Amino acid sequence: MQYRCCHTAEADIGMQFYLTDTDGTGGSIKNSAEDFIVKEISNRPAQKDEGRFVIADVTSKNWETNRLVRLLARTMFISREKIGFAGTKDKRAITTQLMSFECPKEKIDLIQLDDVSIQNVYTANRGVRIGDLIGNSFDIRVRDCTMPLSEIPSKVKKDLEIIKTVGGFPNYFGVQRFGTVRPITHIVGERIVRGDLKGAVMTYLSQQSEFEGEEINDIRRRFGSGESFEDIIPDMPKTMGFEKTMAEHLVRQPEDYIGAIAEMPGNLQMMFTHAYQSYMFNMMLSERMRRNIPLNEPILGDVVVPIDADGNAMHDDAIITTSKNIDLVKRQVTRGRAFVTITLYGTDSTFAEGEMGEIERNFIEKEGITERDFVVPGLPHCTSKGTRREIICPVRDLDFKMEDDGYSVRFSLPKGNYATCMMREILKSDMTDY
């Protein structure tokens, strides 16, 4: 199968091909938060009267998850580490996600944040942890299409038919993993992994983006110019809260770059390293597609994982595709009961064999890193064992409908996958439209 090349900025973060070969509809999926509605499909902790954790569904509009957690903690007078959630969500969206609060139940009544509502409150003996969900359902509205509306139905139906035939879409890590407005998270992570902690901090503080606006870019220029952090901090806008925390630490303890990174929330520290791993995965997936190797059919040497009843991969049961089992493995993949994987390189990584193994090994060698680099002294949240990731993301409950000024698409995905990667197959717009 010949895959279509991507010529937008997504290629810089490894998303270099499309599965679908049609022209895109163009358009934007986030003109307003109401255009992107996300609801978690949750694995809820069991209810327990007088449990030490308060569990609740939190619906928010235009809130980035880390900022929401920070403000919730401040409002409730608890540590942000006392708030648990299963996964980060898009900012420009209406999202409903399960959260836990390690505090007395009455503290929930203190939450009075704009565009945040709390439902289905109960207590349990355990909190919510990262990854503690089944998947997400999406209702996405597309507006400002560049394709005439009359041509869209047949085009989108062809895209969806290709996706259904293949069994899903290329399971790239989407632009949110790297920063939609300022895609640098993987660069910060790479510098952490290579031991350049000063470079990591200065990249986070000073690297500019044309999409952030002049006020913020001026602050970033000042950080990069060598100006005293103490002089810059009073001029920083509220939206630079994490950068301000880093800078304030370095004022108190100059040159303590480990400490500056450690001031970040644990999940954000993990995101730095994970984003670098994600970039490498995207690049290796693109190389597989460049070579026209199937996504929905294993070849000799591929590592294949079965899925559980919820549609999530069982990585502990991975098998290598060999000449003896290839027919059986192909049947399982064809039926959607198993998926081919690519390495997310870390301390405990495994490589495939055959041609995919060659792609993985060659890329890691070219990067000049080793497994030991993913042990980061002093920053346990940035240490990563690695795993493997499926190269196809299956789609459930897929529905398409024309609207007066565009169209909408509804579907659900297993956890850890990106709705924007589904939508890019249809839109083929620049990533800033996501």
Short mmCIF file of all heavy atoms in Angstrom, two decimals, residues 390-415:
data_model
loop_
_atom_site.label_atom_id
_atom_site.label_comp_id
_atom_site.label_asym_id
_atom_site.label_seq_id
_atom_site.Cartn_x
_atom_site.Cartn_y
_atom_site.Cartn_z
N GLU A 390 0.99 0.05 19.95
CA GLU A 390 0.35 -0.48 18.77
C GLU A 390 0.46 0.54 17.63
O GLU A 390 0.36 1.74 17.86
CB GLU A 390 -1.13 -0.77 19.04
CG GLU A 390 -1.38 -1.66 20.25
CD GLU A 390 -1.21 -0.95 21.57
OE1 GLU A 390 -1.94 0.02 21.86
OE2 GLU A 390 -0.29 -1.33 22.34
N ILE A 391 0.66 0.06 16.42
CA ILE A 391 0.84 0.98 15.29
C ILE A 391 -0.47 1.34 14.60
O ILE A 391 -0.50 2.22 13.75
CB ILE A 391 1.84 0.42 14.26
CG1 ILE A 391 1.33 -0.86 13.60
CG2 ILE A 391 3.19 0.19 14.91
CD1 ILE A 391 2.24 -1.37 12.50
N ILE A 392 -1.55 0.66 14.98
CA ILE A 392 -2.90 0.99 14.49
C ILE A 392 -3.78 1.28 15.70
O ILE A 392 -3.71 0.56 16.70
CB ILE A 392 -3.50 -0.18 13.68
CG1 ILE A 392 -2.92 -0.20 12.27
CG2 ILE A 392 -5.01 -0.09 13.61
CD1 ILE A 392 -3.55 0.80 11.32
N CYS A 393 -4.60 2.33 15.61
CA CYS A 393 -5.57 2.60 16.67
C CYS A 393 -6.96 2.24 16.17
O CYS A 393 -7.43 2.81 15.18
CB CYS A 393 -5.54 4.07 17.06
SG CYS A 393 -6.80 4.49 18.29
N PRO A 394 -7.63 1.28 16.81
CA PRO A 394 -8.99 0.92 16.38
C PRO A 394 -9.99 2.00 16.76
O PRO A 394 -9.80 2.73 17.74
CB PRO A 394 -9.25 -0.38 17.15
CG PRO A 394 -8.41 -0.26 18.38
CD PRO A 394 -7.18 0.51 17.97
N VAL A 395 -11.05 2.11 16.00
CA VAL A 395 -12.11 3.11 16.23
C VAL A 395 -13.43 2.39 16.44
O VAL A 395 -13.77 1.47 15.70
CB VAL A 395 -12.24 4.06 15.02
CG1 VAL A 395 -13.18 5.21 15.35
CG2 VAL A 395 -10.88 4.59 14.59
N ARG A 396 -14.17 2.83 17.44
CA ARG A 396 -15.49 2.27 17.71
C ARG A 396 -16.56 3.36 17.60
O ARG A 396 -16.26 4.55 17.71
CB ARG A 396 -15.54 1.65 19.10
CG ARG A 396 -14.62 0.46 19.30
CD ARG A 396 -14.72 -0.06 20.72
NE ARG A 396 -13.86 -1.23 20.94
CZ ARG A 396 -13.68 -1.80 22.13
NH1 ARG A 396 -14.29 -1.32 23.20
NH2 ARG A 396 -12.89 -2.86 22.25
N ASP A 397 -17.80 2.91 17.43
CA ASP A 397 -18.97 3.82 17.47
C ASP A 397 -18.81 4.97 16.49
O ASP A 397 -19.20 6.12 16.79
CB ASP A 397 -19.17 4.36 18.89
CG ASP A 397 -19.17 3.25 19.94
OD1 ASP A 397 -19.81 2.22 19.69
OD2 ASP A 397 -18.52 3.42 20.99
N LEU A 398 -18.28 4.72 15.31
CA LEU A 398 -17.98 5.77 14.34
C LEU A 398 -19.25 6.25 13.64
O LEU A 398 -20.02 5.46 13.12
CB LEU A 398 -16.98 5.21 13.32
CG LEU A 398 -16.37 6.17 12.29
CD1 LEU A 398 -15.73 7.37 12.97
CD2 LEU A 398 -15.35 5.42 11.45
N ASP A 399 -19.44 7.59 13.64
CA ASP A 399 -20.62 8.17 13.03
C ASP A 399 -20.24 9.52 12.41
O ASP A 399 -19.42 10.27 12.97
CB ASP A 399 -21.71 8.37 14.08
CG ASP A 399 -23.02 8.86 13.47
OD1 ASP A 399 -23.38 8.39 12.38
OD2 ASP A 399 -23.67 9.70 14.10
N PHE A 400 -20.83 9.82 11.26
CA PHE A 400 -20.55 11.06 10.54
C PHE A 400 -21.86 11.74 10.18
O PHE A 400 -22.83 11.09 9.79
CB PHE A 400 -19.74 10.74 9.26
CG PHE A 400 -19.81 11.80 8.20
CD1 PHE A 400 -19.10 12.99 8.36
CD2 PHE A 400 -20.57 11.62 7.06
CE1 PHE A 400 -19.16 13.97 7.38
CE2 PHE A 400 -20.64 12.60 6.08
CZ PHE A 400 -19.93 13.78 6.23
N LYS A 401 -21.89 13.09 10.30
CA LYS A 401 -23.11 13.83 9.98
C LYS A 401 -22.76 15.20 9.45
O LYS A 401 -21.89 15.89 10.00
CB LYS A 401 -23.99 13.97 11.23
CG LYS A 401 -25.33 14.65 10.97
CD LYS A 401 -26.19 14.65 12.22
CE LYS A 401 -25.68 15.63 13.26
NZ LYS A 401 -26.62 15.78 14.40
N MET A 402 -23.40 15.60 8.36
CA MET A 402 -23.22 16.95 7.84
C MET A 402 -23.96 17.95 8.73
O MET A 402 -25.03 17.65 9.27
CB MET A 402 -23.75 17.05 6.41
CG MET A 402 -22.89 16.33 5.38
SD MET A 402 -21.19 16.97 5.25
CE MET A 402 -21.46 18.68 4.73
N GLU A 403 -23.38 19.14 8.87
CA GLU A 403 -23.99 20.24 9.61
C GLU A 403 -24.16 21.43 8.67
O GLU A 403 -23.65 21.42 7.55
CB GLU A 403 -23.11 20.63 10.80
CG GLU A 403 -22.70 19.49 11.71
CD GLU A 403 -23.80 19.05 12.65
OE1 GLU A 403 -24.87 19.70 12.64
OE2 GLU A 403 -23.59 18.07 13.38
N ASP A 404 -24.85 22.47 9.13
CA ASP A 404 -25.10 23.62 8.27
C ASP A 404 -23.82 24.29 7.79
O ASP A 404 -23.74 24.76 6.65
CB ASP A 404 -25.95 24.66 9.02
CG ASP A 404 -27.37 24.18 9.25
OD1 ASP A 404 -27.80 23.24 8.54
OD2 ASP A 404 -28.04 24.71 10.15
N ASP A 405 -22.82 24.34 8.66
CA ASP A 405 -21.57 25.03 8.32
C ASP A 405 -20.36 24.11 8.35
O ASP A 405 -19.23 24.55 8.54
CB ASP A 405 -21.34 26.20 9.28
CG ASP A 405 -21.30 25.75 10.73
OD1 ASP A 405 -21.64 24.58 11.01
OD2 ASP A 405 -20.92 26.57 11.59
N GLY A 406 -20.58 22.83 8.18
CA GLY A 406 -19.47 21.88 8.22
C GLY A 406 -19.98 20.48 8.44
O GLY A 406 -20.98 20.07 7.85
N TYR A 407 -19.31 19.74 9.33
CA TYR A 407 -19.75 18.38 9.63
C TYR A 407 -19.25 17.97 11.01
O TYR A 407 -18.40 18.65 11.61
CB TYR A 407 -19.25 17.40 8.56
CG TYR A 407 -17.74 17.28 8.45
CD1 TYR A 407 -17.03 16.30 9.14
CD2 TYR A 407 -17.03 18.13 7.61
CE1 TYR A 407 -15.66 16.18 9.01
CE2 TYR A 407 -15.65 18.02 7.47
CZ TYR A 407 -14.97 17.04 8.18
OH TYR A 407 -13.60 16.93 8.05
N SER A 408 -19.79 16.89 11.52
CA SER A 408 -19.36 16.37 12.82
C SER A 408 -19.02 14.89 12.69
O SER A 408 -19.59 14.18 11.85
CB SER A 408 -20.44 16.58 13.89
OG SER A 408 -21.63 15.91 13.54
N VAL A 409 -18.09 14.46 13.53
CA VAL A 409 -17.68 13.06 13.58
C VAL A 409 -17.69 12.62 15.04
O VAL A 409 -17.19 13.33 15.92
CB VAL A 409 -16.26 12.85 12.99
CG1 VAL A 409 -15.91 11.37 12.96
CG2 VAL A 409 -16.16 13.45 11.59
N ARG A 410 -18.30 11.47 15.28
CA ARG A 410 -18.35 10.91 16.64
C ARG A 410 -17.70 9.54 16.62
O ARG A 410 -17.90 8.76 15.69
CB ARG A 410 -19.80 10.80 17.12
CG ARG A 410 -20.52 12.12 17.24
CD ARG A 410 -21.97 11.93 17.69
NE ARG A 410 -22.68 13.19 17.79
CZ ARG A 410 -23.28 13.80 16.78
NH1 ARG A 410 -23.28 13.24 15.56
NH2 ARG A 410 -23.90 14.95 16.96
N PHE A 411 -16.94 9.24 17.68
CA PHE A 411 -16.27 7.94 17.77
C PHE A 411 -15.70 7.78 19.16
O PHE A 411 -15.65 8.73 19.96
CB PHE A 411 -15.16 7.83 16.71
CG PHE A 411 -14.15 8.96 16.74
CD1 PHE A 411 -13.01 8.89 17.51
CD2 PHE A 411 -14.37 10.11 15.98
CE1 PHE A 411 -12.09 9.92 17.53
CE2 PHE A 411 -13.46 11.15 15.98
CZ PHE A 411 -12.31 11.06 16.76
N SER A 412 -15.25 6.57 19.47
CA SER A 412 -14.55 6.32 20.73
C SER A 412 -13.25 5.59 20.44
O SER A 412 -13.15 4.83 19.48
CB SER A 412 -15.43 5.52 21.70
OG SER A 412 -15.78 4.26 21.16
N LEU A 413 -12.26 5.83 21.31
CA LEU A 413 -10.92 5.25 21.16
C LEU A 413 -10.48 4.63 22.47
O LEU A 413 -10.88 5.08 23.55
CB LEU A 413 -9.90 6.34 20.77
CG LEU A 413 -10.17 7.17 19.53
CD1 LEU A 413 -9.07 8.22 19.36
CD2 LEU A 413 -10.26 6.29 18.28
N PRO A 414 -9.63 3.60 22.41
CA PRO A 414 -9.03 3.09 23.64
C PRO A 414 -8.14 4.17 24.28
O PRO A 414 -7.76 5.15 23.63
CB PRO A 414 -8.18 1.91 23.16
CG PRO A 414 -8.68 1.58 21.80
CD PRO A 414 -9.20 2.86 21.23
N LYS A 415 -7.79 3.99 25.53
CA LYS A 415 -6.98 4.98 26.24
C LYS A 415 -5.61 5.14 25.58
O LYS A 415 -5.08 4.22 24.94
CB LYS A 415 -6.80 4.57 27.70
CG LYS A 415 -6.00 3.30 27.92
CD LYS A 415 -5.88 2.99 29.40
CE LYS A 415 -5.08 1.71 29.64
NZ LYS A 415 -4.98 1.39 31.07
#
